[in-house]
Amino acid sequence: MKKIQKLTQEINELTVRIEQEYPELYRYLDENPITIPVDDEAKPTYNSFVDYLESLKSILEKYMESHNK
């Protein structure tokens, strides 16, 4: 459980960073095809948190590469 809490904290921190430093990117995060399941049938797993965090990192990295030229 602590691993998921740590991942949740990392996701939150990265999301806040994106919101504050890259608001133009933040508005597109809800369109991210990789999300953490929220319905009753699909329980979130450790791997779904890891995948979501990695997708956020990737989105930010690609955005920074394309806008810092």
Side-chain angles (χ1 to χ4, degrees):
M1 187 64 170
K2 288 189 182 212
K3 290 181 181 181
I4 289 180
Q5 288 174 340
K6 181 169 175 28
L7 285 171
T8 302
Q9 180 180 352
E10 287 183 54
I11 290 168
N12 185 53
E13 289 170 359
L14 184 55
T15 303
V16 168
R17 177 180 173 214
I18 293 170
E19 179 181 26
Q20 292 174 349
E21 296 178 23
Y22 306 97
E24 66 280 11
L25 176 60
Y26 179 77
R27 65 181 170 192
Y28 296 109
L29 290 185
D30 65 342
E31 297 175 8
N32 184 357
I34 300 174
T35 59
I36 297 171
V38 292
D39 64 11
D40 290 335
E41 297 295 316
K43 303 271 186 212
T45 64
Y46 176 79
N47 287 337
S48 63
F49 280 83
V50 169
D51 291 345
Y52 186 65
L53 179 58
E54 291 305 314
S55 71
L56 287 175
K57 289 178 181 179
S58 176
I59 289 167
L60 180 57
E61 181 180 317
K62 289 176 185 175
Y63 182 83
M64 291 172 66
E65 286 175 1
S66 67
H67 288 80
N68 289 332
K69 294 182 178 182

